[in-house]
Amino acid sequence: MVPHNVHICCSVANEKWFRQEELHYLFDIFYQSGVELKIVGGAIRNSIMGYPVREIDFATNALPDETIRIAHQHKFSTYTVGKKHGTIHIIGKNKTVYEVTTLRRDISTNGRHSVVQFGTSWLMDAQRRDFSMNALYADKNGNVYDYLGNGFTDCQNRIIRFIGDAYTRIQEDYLRAFRYFRFACLYSQGPLDQKTLNAIQSLQKHISEVSRERVCHELRIMLGASSQRLQEILWEIYDLRLLYAYGFDSFSNAVFNNPYFVRNQGDILFRLWMLFYQHRSYADYRHYNEQNVLSQKEKKRMNLFAYGKANCDILQSRNDLLHLVSEFEAKEAKDIVLSACAVLGEECARYKKYVAQVERQQVFIFPVTGQDLLQNGFKQGREIGHTLRYLKKIWINSDYTLTQKKLIKHITISDDKKKIR
C-alpha cells in the first residue's frame, strides 16, 4: 500500500521500455502472489532525464525466498549470489537480467559491507539509497512515486543530492565518493555541492583505500561523459588527491581539446589510454598496463595504441601504411592509426583517409593460403608464415591485383627447400 501523503510525481506508462510484455508479466505474477513489485532507480531516473534505459531493477516487499519461489513457479531461472542482501537476479527471455531486491535498511556498515534488515516500508527502502534521483519507484501502471519528495525535482534540475548527510552516507560505503563524481559527470551541469566536496576531503584517506577494481569501474563510466564536463570533474578529483593511490597520478590537460578524444566519446579504452597512458615513457606504460584492471584483450589493445604512438611515421608514406596492413588485422591497424593520428594531432579528415586505406584490405581476399604453399612443395614450419607475409606485401603493393598464380611465381624450389625469389 502507498501512504496517503506520497506524491505521484509523474508517469512512465507511455515510455517504450515500460511497455515490454515481459515486464508486465513480472508485475502480474508478483501481484497474483499477494506481494508488491515496483521498478526502482536508474530506469526511472534515465526516463525522466531523457537518457536511454538499459537496465531495469525492481524492489519488492517479498522476502528473497518468496521471490525465488515466484520466479521458479513461472519458469524463470534465478541467480542468488546477492541473496544475503535481498537481491535475486531473475533471468528473462533473451537472457535479460532483472535485479529484484527486497525492501530493506542497513543496520550496520563498515565502509563497504553492510548488514541489512528486511522490511515492508517503501519509505525505509528509499531512505537507504544513495542519491535522491535514485529513490523513485514506478508501479505496474507506470505511476512514479517520490517517497522523499525531492527526487523528481532533482532529476528535472540535474542536481546530485545525497539522501541525508553526505559525510555519513560516504562513511557507509566509501565508493560513494566516486559514484558522486560519476553521477556529476553524466547527469549534472552546474557546480558541485561544496558541503559534499568538504565531506569527501575529510574522508580522503579512507576513500583512497577502496579497491582498484571498484574505482576503475566508476572511472570508466565517467570517461563516457562529454569532454568539457569530464575535464571539470577530473580536476576536482585530482585536487582531492583521490586517484594517486591507484597510479593515476597525472594526466595531460591538452587531451581534452584533442579532436580524437572529443569525438571518440564512446571508446572508453581509447580515452583511458589518452588520459593516463599516452604521455608516459614505455617502461612506465608497461608498469601501469600490468598494474591496472585490464583484461588480456584490453591490454592487447593498449599495446596497439602504444605501438601507434611509437611509430607515428607509419602515416608519412603509402608504403609504410601498406606494411602496417600487411602485418596486422584491419581492426588492429585502425587502432594503431587512431593513436598515431591522436599523438600527431592530425585532422580527423586525414584519419578517415588513412582508415579507408586500411579498410580497403578487407574488400579483397588474399589469394594464397598455407595449403597452397604446401601443395607447391613447402614443408610445415615457420617458413610458410614468413613466405605468406612476404607474398602479402607484394600483393598489397600491386594494389591487390596479383592473382594466386602470379604470386606463386615469386617462389621457387631449390634443393628440396623453398626459396623466395
Side-chain angles (χ1 to χ4, degrees), residues 255-304:
V255 163
F256 295 102
N257 296 318
N258 187 296
Y260 293 94
F261 186 87
V262 173
R263 296 189 185 194
N264 283 277
Q265 188 168 334
D267 192 340
I268 303 302
L269 198 68
F270 175 67
R271 281 188 149 198
L272 184 69
W273 177 79
M274 284 201 72
L275 270 174
F276 299 115
Y277 292 83
Q278 63 101 358
H279 61 287
R280 299 186 186 278
S281 69
Y282 190 69
D284 278 349
Y285 160 78
R286 288 292 298 273
H287 169 73
Y288 285 105
N289 199 3
E290 292 301 320
Q291 288 295 312
N292 287 297
V293 184
L294 300 171
S295 67
Q296 290 303 314
K297 184 177 180 181
E298 289 171 334
K299 287 178 182 178
K300 181 179 179 181
R301 196 164 177 233
M302 284 286 201
N303 285 329
L304 292 171

Side-chain angles (χ1 to χ4, degrees), residues 183-209:
F183 272 66
C185 251
L186 299 177
Y187 297 114
S188 75
Q189 295 172 331
L192 302 182
D193 178 62
Q194 191 57 51
K195 287 184 177 179
T196 300
L197 294 178
N198 292 342
I200 292 172
Q201 187 170 33
S202 299
L203 295 167
Q204 184 266 338
K205 179 178 181 295
H206 299 289
I207 294 168
S208 297
E209 294 171 354

Side-chain angles (χ1 to χ4, degrees), residues 385-395 410-411 420-421:
H386 174 69
T387 305
L388 284 173
R389 287 191 293 272
Y390 172 77
L391 293 178
K392 192 172 184 180
K393 289 177 185 177
I394 295 173
W395 176 65
H410 284 267
I411 53 177
I420 298 174
R421 217 178 248 172

